[in-house]
Amino acid sequence: MSDKPISDLRRRMIADMTIRTFSDKTQREYIRHIAAFASFLSRSPDTATGDDIRHFQLAQVELGAQPPKMNSQASALRFFFTVTLGRADLAHQLARTHYPRKLPRVLSPDQVARLIEAAPGPGLKHKAALSVAYGAGLRGCEIVMLRVSDIDSTRMLIRVEMGKGRKDRHAMLSPQLLKLLRAWWLQCRSRGWLFPGRDPLQPISTRQLNRVCHMAAEAAGLGSWVTPHMLRHSFATHLLESGIDVRVIQVLLGHAKLDTTARYAHVATNVLRRVMSPLDRLTLPKEDPPA
């Protein structure tokens, strides 16, 4: 912890975020962006003008800031001006950066099988964790926070507490995944975290999970671009290809908007191949045979 005193302005903004139940991660990110803005101004950010905002965002572009960072800064500044300062007139001058969203990269079922099989040991811990990513479509941050008690074998569900957006939901639990998780539990006998870290009192970190996934991808002869989140993309895409309704997949993934889930239609090649072109439905006049 830093011994540097917290200013009244920062304390007020933290209180505003706490009242709105922002996550700790979001609070730290917002404070960091406001501190960067104050550093750019060389004075308190509550004295900012519209020109200051314009010059700050222009400077960020010139420094090579990518659209996700630009939009994150804009969200933090918008909250600061609108809620903490009550200056919505300044918030309206913030520009958001629009950019094309890339299609998710997915693995084929064969590649997924090779990846999971190549998960490093000892034991079934990493194989089970990667299987949860693909078998239930969970995010990495959701996998590492699972507890043994979240596995509901009676209803064949996985309880996900405080997922993205601080929302609880249920994910599917397949018989094969349950069998693997039971085998892993018999090895670890954990009464708390489903995937304990080096310190049994703490869960495995998302960084460790990513490292394990990269190791498995290398051992399986796949690219270094493979991540645990790619298994989530593959889960959704393969469900769509097998004929599962996109609205059901939306619920399983915990997406707030159907548009987010609909992206997988662009990479579900089996679905695209099953669609008949309207041209093939036409009855075209037969051509006369050549003389």
Side-chain angles (χ1 to χ4, degrees), residues 38 43 58 137 142 144 148 167-168 185 204 217 223 227-228 230-231 235 244 260 280 283:
R43 64 180 193 274
L58 180 60
E142 296 169 342
V144 300
V148 174
K167 296 179 181 178
D168 295 350
W185 185 83
I204 184 176
T227 64
M230 197 168 295
L231 291 173
F235 163 84
I244 303 301
T260 307
D280 295 334
T283 303

Side-chain angles (χ1 to χ4, degrees), residues 100-163:
R101 297 188 65 179
K102 294 182 179 180
L103 289 177
R105 299 185 70 172
V106 301
L107 301 171
S108 69
D110 176 66
Q111 289 174 322
V112 172
R114 286 161 48 197
L115 177 73
I116 292 175
E117 194 59 34
L124 297 171
K125 175 180 177 180
H126 299 141
K127 183 177 181 179
L130 294 179
S131 295
V132 171
Y134 178 68
L138 267 59
R139 303 176 178 90
C141 59
E142 296 169 342
I143 294 170
V144 300
M145 297 306 293
L146 287 176
R147 296 180 178 273
V148 174
S149 57
D150 291 328
I151 308 302
D152 187 345
S153 59
T154 302
R155 296 191 295 163
M156 296 301 288
L157 296 171
I158 299 176
R159 177 176 173 79
V160 181
E161 291 191 355
M162 301 295 283

Side-chain angles (χ1 to χ4, degrees), residues 13-279:
M13 182 177 178
I14 292 174
D16 290 335
M17 291 189 290
T18 302
I19 291 170
R20 288 158 180 79
T21 66
F22 282 18
S23 68
D24 292 341
K25 180 181 178 181
T26 300
Q27 291 195 31
R28 288 193 299 269
E29 186 176 78
Y30 275 29
I31 290 297
R32 178 167 53 83
H33 288 322
I34 301 305
F37 181 59
S39 177
F40 173 82
L41 294 179
S42 297
R43 64 180 193 274
S44 178
D46 61 351
T47 64
T49 65
D51 284 339
D52 291 329
I53 294 173
R54 189 178 303 105
H55 293 153
F56 174 70
Q57 290 198 300
L58 180 60
Q60 293 300 301
V61 172
E62 292 172 346
L63 288 172
Q66 296 301 304
K69 179 180 179 181
M70 294 283 296
N71 290 338
S72 179
Q73 288 175 336
S75 295
L77 289 167
R78 185 172 292 105
F79 179 87
F80 175 70
F81 289 129
T82 303
V83 178
T84 302
L85 295 185
R87 293 289 310 278
D89 57 312
L90 288 177
H92 290 323
Q93 299 189 48
L94 286 159
R96 288 190 64 84
T97 305
H98 297 281
Y99 59 101
R101 297 188 65 179
K102 294 182 179 180
L103 289 177
R105 299 185 70 172
V106 301
L107 301 171
S108 69
D110 176 66
Q111 289 174 322
V112 172
R114 286 161 48 197
L115 177 73
I116 292 175
E117 194 59 34
L124 297 171
K125 175 180 177 180
H126 299 141
K127 183 177 181 179
L130 294 179
S131 295
V132 171
Y134 178 68
L138 267 59
R139 303 176 178 90
C141 59
E142 296 169 342
I143 294 170
V144 300
M145 297 306 293
L146 287 176
R147 296 180 178 273
V148 174
S149 57
D150 291 328
I151 308 302
D152 187 345
S153 59
T154 302
R155 296 191 295 163
M156 296 301 288
L157 296 171
I158 299 176
R159 177 176 173 79
V160 181
E161 291 191 355
M162 301 295 283
K164 188 173 182 179
R166 301 175 68 84
K167 296 179 181 178
D168 295 350
R169 75 175 194 281
H170 284 105
M172 64 183 294
L173 174 63
S174 72
Q176 185 171 331
L177 180 56
L178 176 60
K179 181 180 178 180
L180 178 58
L181 291 176
R182 280 175 169 166
W184 159 237
W185 185 83
L186 288 173
Q187 290 182 357
C188 71
R189 296 287 181 174
S190 172
R191 296 186 178 276
W193 302 111
L194 182 59
F195 301 112
R198 293 187 180 90
D199 178 358
L201 298 180
Q202 298 295 327
I204 184 176
S205 67
T206 53
R207 184 176 180 181
Q208 288 174 301
L209 184 61
N210 274 290
R211 187 183 301 116
V212 164
C213 188
H214 291 313
M215 292 170 63
E218 183 177 353
L222 303 174
S224 58
W225 42 269
V226 179
T227 64
H229 205 74
M230 197 168 295
L231 291 173
R232 174 176 161 87
H233 291 325
S234 302
F235 163 84
T237 303
H238 296 165
L239 282 181
L240 191 60
E241 289 181 335
S242 66
I244 303 301
D245 190 280
V246 68
R247 288 165 294 187
V248 175
I249 300 173
Q250 176 191 4
V251 173
L252 292 174
L253 292 175
H255 284 161
K257 297 180 179 179
L258 184 60
D259 290 349
T260 307
T261 316
R263 290 186 304 152
Y264 296 109
H266 296 285
V267 291
T269 54
N270 287 354
V271 173
L272 299 180
R273 283 196 292 266
R274 289 200 299 266
V275 177
M276 179 181 289
S277 168
L279 178 64

